[in-house]
Structures are given as C-alpha cells and as structure tokens.
Amino acid sequence: MIAGFKVVARAVKRLNHQSHLYVWGNVLWLLLALPLVTSTAAWMALIRLGYLIPRQPGVTMDEFWSTFRALWRKGIPLALINLAVIYVNGTNLLLFWNSPGLLALALRISWIIVLLTWFALQLFAYPLYFAMDKPTFIGAFRNAVVMLLQNPGFSLVIVLVATVFGVLGLLVPPILLLLSGGAVAVLANAAVQDRLWAAGIQQPPPEPDEASEQSFYADF
C-alpha cells in the first residue's frame, strides 16, 4: 500500500507538467463521452495523452484527436459493456439500498466490489494497452486482471484515490471538474508504469537531483 501512496505523490507532481493539456484533454473527454458509446474511446484518448506528455516534448492535442479517431469504432463494444456493468450493478444497489437483512447487505457489498473491481480494470487496462508492443484489448484486460490480483493493496489505494478525484470533480465544479479526469489519467499511467518497473518489465530512470528534475520529468 505504501507503493500506492508513492505513486499518488508522483502523479500529483507529474500533473504540474503541461497541466493545460490535461485541462483541454479533460474537457474534450467530457464532451466526447456525452454520446456514451464514444466514452471509452474518449477516455483512451485522454489516457494516451497522459502517457505521451511526460515522454515526448512538444506533445499537442493532435495526439488526443488521432487516438480518438483511431479507436472510436473499436471502443463502442467496450463502452456498451461498461454501461451494462454500471447499469446492472447500480440499479441493484439503488433497489436494495434500504433493504434489511444480511442477504441484502451481502448483495450490496458484492455489487460495490464488482463496481470497484471494474473501475480498477478500467484504470489499469488502457495504460497497459498503450504500453504493449502489439496492443489488443483482450491482452490489456488480461494483464490488468493479473496486475490487480498481484497487487491488491496497491490497487485499492489507486482506486480509492481515483474515486476521490472523481467525486471532488463532481462536488467542486468547475475548477476540479476541468482537471479531475486528467488527474485520474495521470494516476492510472503512473500506477501501471510503477508496477511494470516493480516487475522488471521496464527499467526506471535514475533518481534526479534538484538541478536536473525538470529534464527528468520531461522524460519520465
């Protein structure tokens, strides 16, 4: 769990770099997600933007648009699955929220766990998709399941902090609403990269000193 909090701190620090791009990406994600069926492609475009900003100097919003155009058709089935999962579990929660008895309580807990687990998979799968040499949705979600099972405490921290970002974005508009999605995208990318480092799949760069910190985060 300590590693999860370190990733949160790293993500907050990274968000200060090119933060205006995260704001514009967040706005476009919100607008393009309104038709619902394009919500997954819009989220992947924001994830891709967050993946590239610390890696490629001079990144522009063209990267967001090119990712969205390339993936909006492929993302429709995933968007429909997401809507189905949220609708079924959310509806069940609302219907049984005030129901008495241990069975109703157990069902409510199970539906909340399903929603949190599905949310965790959304956080991990898409950064993994862009980190793969030959990306596929099936492979990305399979790897996300493995990452989730191998790092339960870490994943719990990331999911809870991402949820807090999202809730604050809804409760404290418009300032946080303009940045909450970008903050979650940065956190998701940082979390996946950290686990890839921990597994030895990727090698982390050397720790920077204060004089070289800016260049370090430009390549981070």
Side-chain angles (χ1 to χ4, degrees):
M1 295 183 73
I2 295 176
F5 287 112
K6 288 182 178 179
V7 166
V8 173
R10 188 183 304 140
V12 170
K13 196 170 185 179
R14 184 185 295 183
L15 192 62
N16 291 325
H17 181 66
Q18 300 279 33
S19 58
H20 67 285
L21 291 179
Y22 293 116
V23 171
W24 281 113
N26 193 87
V27 171
L28 291 175
W29 163 62
L30 290 172
L31 294 175
L32 293 171
L34 290 177
L36 297 183
V37 293
T38 57
S39 58
T40 295
W43 176 244
M44 292 186 71
L46 184 57
I47 288 288
R48 177 65 173 170
L49 185 67
Y51 181 83
L52 290 176
I53 286 174
R55 290 172 171 80
Q56 297 183 11
V59 170
T60 67
M61 293 305 299
D62 290 341
E63 298 292 346
F64 181 100
W65 287 114
S66 62
T67 302
F68 180 79
R69 287 194 299 267
L71 295 174
W72 76 269
R73 287 188 179 88
K74 294 179 180 179
I76 290 176
L78 286 173
L80 294 176
I81 293 173
N82 288 339
L83 292 173
V85 171
I86 294 171
Y87 176 79
V88 170
N89 288 275
T91 301
N92 288 335
L93 273 174
L94 291 175
L95 289 176
F96 287 87
W97 190 254
N98 294 317
S99 299
L102 290 177
L103 178 59
L105 176 61
L107 289 174
R108 288 195 296 270
I109 293 174
S110 66
W111 290 323
I112 291 173
I113 291 174
V114 169
L115 286 173
L116 288 176
T117 302
W118 188 249
F119 182 43
L121 292 178
Q122 306 301 304
L123 288 176
F124 292 158
Y126 301 125
L128 282 167
Y129 178 90
F130 293 118
M132 296 169 66
D133 292 331
K134 297 180 179 179
T136 64
F137 289 128
I138 293 176
F141 274 90
R142 181 181 64 246
N143 292 336
V145 170
V146 173
M147 185 172 289
L148 181 62
L149 292 176
Q150 290 182 343
N151 305 276
F154 175 91
S155 301
L156 180 62
V157 171
I158 299 302
V159 169
L160 291 180
V161 173
T163 302
V164 169
F165 284 164
V167 171
L168 287 177
L170 294 174
L171 295 180
V172 195
I175 297 176
L176 289 179
L177 183 61
L178 293 176
L179 196 57
S180 58
V184 174
V186 172
L187 179 60
N189 276 301
V192 167
Q193 187 175 57
D194 182 85
R195 293 301 87 188
L196 293 177
W197 290 352
I201 297 173
Q202 292 182 0
Q203 294 299 317
E207 290 294 329
D209 53 35
E210 291 186 5
S212 63
E213 185 172 353
Q214 182 59 41
S215 62
F216 169 77
Y217 282 100
D219 296 327
F220 192 64

